[in-house]
Structure formats: C-alpha cells, structure tokens
Amino acid sequence: MKRLTTATLLLIGVLLLGGSCSKRGQAPTATFTNEQDSVAYILGMNIARNLRQVDSTLNIEALTAGIRDYFAKSERFTATEAQRIYLHYINVSKPEAVLAYEDRFLEEVVRDNRSYARSKTGLTYAVEEVGEVNLSPKAAYDTVSFRYLGRTLDGREFDSSFERGDTTRMALGDLLEGLQESLKLIGKGGRIMAYLPAALGYGAEGNKELGVAPNSTLYYEIELLNVEPAARNPRTNRRATKVEF
C-alpha cells in the first residue's frame, strides 16, 4: 500500500486520542535513546490497548510486521488486496466464528441444565410457569401485554420493563422473532427464560440504541400478563380488523 486511506488515518487518530496511559506497573526495562523514543513507545501502548478491546485475538507479530513494513515501504498487500481481505474477515469469517461459538454455547446450556430445551430455530428456553394455555398468543395480530428483562451474555442489562415499572403492550408480530416464539410457549400468567440466537434477535445489525452488538446472543426473562386475540372472520379464520394501540 502506497499510502494510508483517510478512514485508516481517522481510525488511528481515534485510537490514539481514545487511549490513556495507566499509572500502574513499573518503568519499562528497555532503554530509550531520547524522549521521542519514549513517546513512540507510549503511542504503541495506546494503540495496543485500544486494539485489544476491539479484537483480543490479533496476532501481535503480524500486527507489528505490518507497521514495520509500512514504514519501510515494503507492504505485502496493495490497498485493494488489503481492503478485500479485511472486508471478508469482517463480513464473513468473523461472523461465522461468532455464530459457531453461539451454537456451542447454547448446546452447553441445554446439556448442563435439564430445565432448558432447544427448538428447531435455536431458541433455548426454560418455562418457569406455563400459565393459562387456552390464552396463548398464536397469530401475529394478537396483542400481548408482558414484562421483560433483557441481558447480553456478559450479564449487562440493556433493557428492562421491570426496572421501569411499566408493561409492554404490542402486537405479537411486531416483536423480535425470538420473543414471539417465547411468548407462544406460555399462556397468560406464564413465565419463561430464553436465550435468543442472534438470528432471532437483532441479527447482524445489532441495536446501537440499546448497545447490542452485531450477532449478539441475548437472554430474556419474560412474564406474560395478558393476551387479546385479534378479531377474526369465522368463515376465513382471518383477521377482520387491525388492532389499534
């Protein structure tokens, strides 16, 4: 690569500005010729700290080789080749690895806890209370009233109607696929705990507003308070009028 792209320069700038040197630890054992050498080392520390937060599996030798080769003007990839490889990793290889980990994790949940089951879609759940099975949501236009708590796998709570002290009332079809499937498994008064695979949650896009990263497996605790079946035409068994909120 003959020059850094604007995006690359901006990324490095963000990494340098975002990092801050910790005051812990002892002074470096290496001897530096001058203050500029110390500053270069500090910049390296900040870059490494931020890169580790982005991807802790990076090959350090390959990373430093890239820096050395760039300064020596002996890059191993052209800008076009580098972009192609990077985009394939971000859009294909990394998501595949994340989904493979997700599959192993959910299998282990079922294996280690017999109260959990796994459906054909990958939803992994444990019904705490079945509720009134004759009052279970079935159609997309059925209205459900429920309370819930949502967490990421690291335990971070990203949304909770319990904490807000309110009740969510929506048409079943407007919910995440994993929540729809979960609610169909219980009736009014029922409670369920469910792990939603990324495909049944916010998928490859994630949810920036809630702080949910792309391809995230989610955990929910749900209590179904009420079900209002949509009005139907008895002859066609189709919805007659749209539910108004």
Side-chain angles (χ1 to χ4, degrees), residues 99-114:
L99 294 177
Y101 170 81
E102 174 184 79
D103 190 59
R104 291 194 302 272
F105 171 80
L106 295 178
E107 285 182 351
E108 290 176 359
V109 169
V110 176
R111 183 191 66 198
D112 298 339
N113 192 327
R114 293 186 178 181

Side-chain angles (χ1 to χ4, degrees), residues 1-4 64-79:
M1 294 176 285
K2 296 303 180 184
R3 61 187 177 83
L4 287 175
T64 54
I67 296 173
R68 285 195 303 269
D69 289 352
Y70 176 79
F71 277 98
K73 297 183 179 180
S74 59
E75 300 94 323
R76 305 183 192 188
F77 304 115
T78 65

Side-chain angles (χ1 to χ4, degrees), residues 29-49:
T29 56
T31 301
F32 302 116
T33 304
N34 51 44
E35 187 177 39
Q36 188 177 20
D37 291 345
S38 297
V39 171
Y41 182 82
I42 292 169
L43 292 178
M45 288 172 54
N46 285 328
I47 292 173
R49 181 178 293 108

Side-chain angles (χ1 to χ4, degrees), residues 53-108:
Q53 293 174 356
V54 174
D55 190 344
S56 61
T57 65
L58 287 172
N59 183 322
I60 302 304
E61 287 70 26
L63 177 64
T64 54
I67 296 173
R68 285 195 303 269
D69 289 352
Y70 176 79
F71 277 98
K73 297 183 179 180
S74 59
E75 300 94 323
R76 305 183 192 188
F77 304 115
T78 65
T80 300
E81 291 171 337
Q83 183 181 45
R84 175 180 57 79
I85 294 170
Y86 181 76
L87 290 178
H88 184 273
Y89 172 73
I90 292 298
N91 297 320
V92 180
S93 301
K94 191 170 184 179
E96 286 180 351
V98 170
L99 294 177
Y101 170 81
E102 174 184 79
D103 190 59
R104 291 194 302 272
F105 171 80
L106 295 178
E107 285 182 351
E108 290 176 359

Side-chain angles (χ1 to χ4, degrees), residues 200-215:
L200 301 182
Y202 291 107
E205 294 184 0
N207 187 311
K208 292 183 179 180
E209 184 178 346
L210 294 176
V212 176
N215 297 310

